[in-house]
C-alpha cells in the first residue's frame, strides 16, 4: 500500500451532525486501477434521523455491535494519512475532522483533492457534477449513497478525468487552488440593484452569477456585514448537507447578529426576480 497513487473516501452520516458517521468506504488506486477496498458500518453513538435513513437506508439495528469511530480511527488514518485522498466535495473531509474532534482523536493528515472540482473542469458542459450524474455520464457502475460505491465512483471520476484531459494527478493537485473567478459587473438597473449577493455552490463567474449581475445585483465572494443575499445554487455539491457548509453557517451567524441577510434558493430567486420584472 506504500506505492498507491491515491485513495478515495466517502462517509454516510446518521443525522444532521456531520460527526455522526455510520458508514465509511475507502478505495485505493494505482496505475489507473482499483487495488484495494475497505468498508464498514460504524456505530455513531448518535441518533438516526428519518431523513438520513431515507437516503442511505442504514438504521440503528444495522450498526448494533459495529465499531465506533474511535475503534477504527487508527485504521482510517493508516489508509488516508500522508496520502493523496480524494473526496467528492469537502463534506467527507469535514465529517472526518468533526468525528476526530468529538472523540478527541488526532486529526487525519491527508493531501486532499476534491473530485467535484476536477469534474467541473473536465466536463464543464454538464448541468451539475453530482456523483450519480457523473456516473451515468461516464458509464460508471454506481449505487448512490453507499459509502463504498460512492468512494469507488469518485475514484473512477479522477481516472477518467485524467484520461479525458491529459492532466495527470500531480497536475490536478498543483491546480487544487485555481485562480479565483472574477464576478461579472452588475447592470446599471434591475430588480436586484443595490443587493450584494454571495453564491453557495457555483463559481462567481458562472451562469447564476451572470443572471444576478444582469438584474443589477453585485456578486461578492464571501458573506460579510454588507452582504444582503445568500443564494443556494441548484447545482451545489453538498446535497442535503448544504447547511454544514462554511458559507451557509457564516450566513446564519450574520442573521443571528441581526444583519438583514436573506437565504434563498436559486429557484426561488429566479422566480421572484422574474415576477418583479413583469410590468404591472
Amino acid at each position: 500500500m506504500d506505492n498507491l497513487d491515491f485513495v478515495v473516501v466517502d462517509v454516510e452520516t446518521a443525522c444532521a451532525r456531520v460527526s455522526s458517521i455510520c458508514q465509511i468506504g475507502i478505495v485505493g488506486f494505482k496505475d489507473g486501477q482499483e487495488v484495494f477496498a475497505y468498508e464498514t458500518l460504524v456505530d455513531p453513538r448518535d441518533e438516526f434521523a428519518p431523513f438520513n435513513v431515507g437516503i442511505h437506508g442504514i438504521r440503528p439495528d444495522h450498526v448494533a455491535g459495529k465499531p465506533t469511530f474511535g475503534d477504527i480511527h487508527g485504521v482510517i488514518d493508516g489508509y488516508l494519512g500522508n496520502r493523496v485522498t480524494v473526496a467528492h466535495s469537502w463534506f467527507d473531509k469535514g465529517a472526518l475532522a468533526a468525528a476526530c474532534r468529538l472523540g478527541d482523536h488526532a486529526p487525519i493528515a491527508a493531501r486532499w483533492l476534491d473530485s467535484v472540482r476536477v469534474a467541473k473542469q473536465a466536463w464543464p458542459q454538464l448541468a451539475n457534477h453530482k456523483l450519480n450524474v457523473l456516473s451515468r455520464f461516464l458509464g460508471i457502475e454506481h449505487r448512490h449513497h453507499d459509502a463504498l460505491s460512492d468512494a469507488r465512483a469518485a475514484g473512477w471520476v479522477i481516472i477518467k478525468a485524467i484520461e479525458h484531459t491529459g492532466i495527470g494527478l500531480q497536475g490536478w493537485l498543483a491546480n487544487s487552488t485555481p485562480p479565483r473567478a472574477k464576478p461579472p459587473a452588475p447592470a446599471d438597473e434591475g430588480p436586484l440593484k443595490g443587493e450584494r449577493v454571495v453564491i453557495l455552490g457555483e463559481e462567481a463567474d458562472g451562469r447564476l452569477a451572470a443572471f444576478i449581475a444582469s438584474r443589477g445585483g453585485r456578486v461578492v465572494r464571501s458573506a460579510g456585514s454588507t452582504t444582503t443575499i445568500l443564494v443556494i445554487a441548484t447545482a451545489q455539491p453538498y446535497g442535503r448537507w448544504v447547511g454544514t457548509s462554511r458559507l451557509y453557517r457564516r450566513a446564519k451567524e450574520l442573521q443571528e447578529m441581526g444583519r438583514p441577510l436573506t437565504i434563498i434558493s436559486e429557484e426561488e430567486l429566479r422566480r421572484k426576480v422574474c415576477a418583479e420584472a413583469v410590468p404591472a
Side-chain angles (χ1 to χ4, degrees), residues 202 207-208 211 231-235 264-271:
E202 192 173 298
R207 288 177 292 180
L208 177 54
F211 172 81
V231 183
I232 302 172
T234 302
I264 190 171
S265 70
E266 176 182 346
E267 181 181 0
E268 291 171 320
L269 178 74
R270 288 181 181 273
R271 186 169 57 244

Side-chain angles (χ1 to χ4, degrees), residues 33-52:
Q33 297 296 324
E34 177 184 327
V35 294
F36 86 86
Y38 166 84
E39 181 275 332
T40 185
L41 292 170
V42 182
D43 183 350
R45 301 291 176 89
D46 207 334
E47 66 175 339
F48 278 76
F51 180 84
N52 294 57

